[in-house]
Amino acid sequence: MPTVAVTDATFDAEVRQSDIPVVVDFWAEWCGPCKQIGPALEELSVAYAGRVKIAKVNVDENPGTAAQMGIRGIPALFLFKDGQVVSNKVGAAPKSALESWISGEV
C-alpha cells in the first residue's frame, strides 16, 4: 500500500480513527531531508501494508494540523495508535533506523 496523502480535512479520519497504527510524516516540498526519507517511507509502506499505514502531511498546504501537532522542524514523524501519539522522531534517518523505530512501537 503506498503512502497516503493526508490533509487538514482528512487527518482525523485517516489517522485518529484508523484501525491500524499510523506513521505520519510531516514534510514540505522544499525540505531536503524530507526528500531523503521519502523513498524509504514508500518502501516501508509496502513492507507494512495492512499492519501500519504511512501518511504524509504537507505542512505548507496543511498548516492547521501542523500547528495543532506543534511541528517546529521537519521532517517530523509521529506514530499514532488508537488515535493517540505513542512516539515521535524529528529529522531524517536511514531506512533501517525508521524500520527499527516502527517495528519497536507496533
Side-chain angles (χ1 to χ4, degrees):
M1 173 167 63
T3 59
V4 178
V6 176
T7 65
D8 286 345
T10 63
F11 189 82
D12 281 347
E14 289 286 352
V15 177
R16 295 192 190 276
Q17 297 169 13
S18 176
D19 55 355
I20 61 174
V22 183
V23 172
V24 182
D25 172 26
F26 289 90
W27 70 286
E29 199 63 49
W30 48 264
C31 170
C34 299
K35 290 182 178 183
Q36 285 179 324
I37 67 169
L41 291 173
E42 290 293 337
E43 291 173 20
L44 291 171
S45 71
V46 172
Y48 284 102
R51 296 180 293 146
V52 177
K53 181 190 301 184
I54 299 187
K56 296 177 73 69
V57 176
N58 183 318
V59 298
D60 289 336
E61 297 172 0
N62 301 283
T65 302
Q68 181 182 24
M69 296 299 300
I71 304 300
R72 288 199 162 101
I74 55 174
L77 301 168
F78 286 78
L79 180 61
F80 284 79
K81 272 192 201 172
D82 300 320
Q84 301 297 315
V85 175
V86 294
S87 184
N88 70 303
K89 288 178 87 58
V90 177
K95 180 183 172 188
S96 59
L98 295 172
E99 190 169 17
S100 293
W101 174 63
I102 295 168
S103 62
E105 296 292 335
V106 286

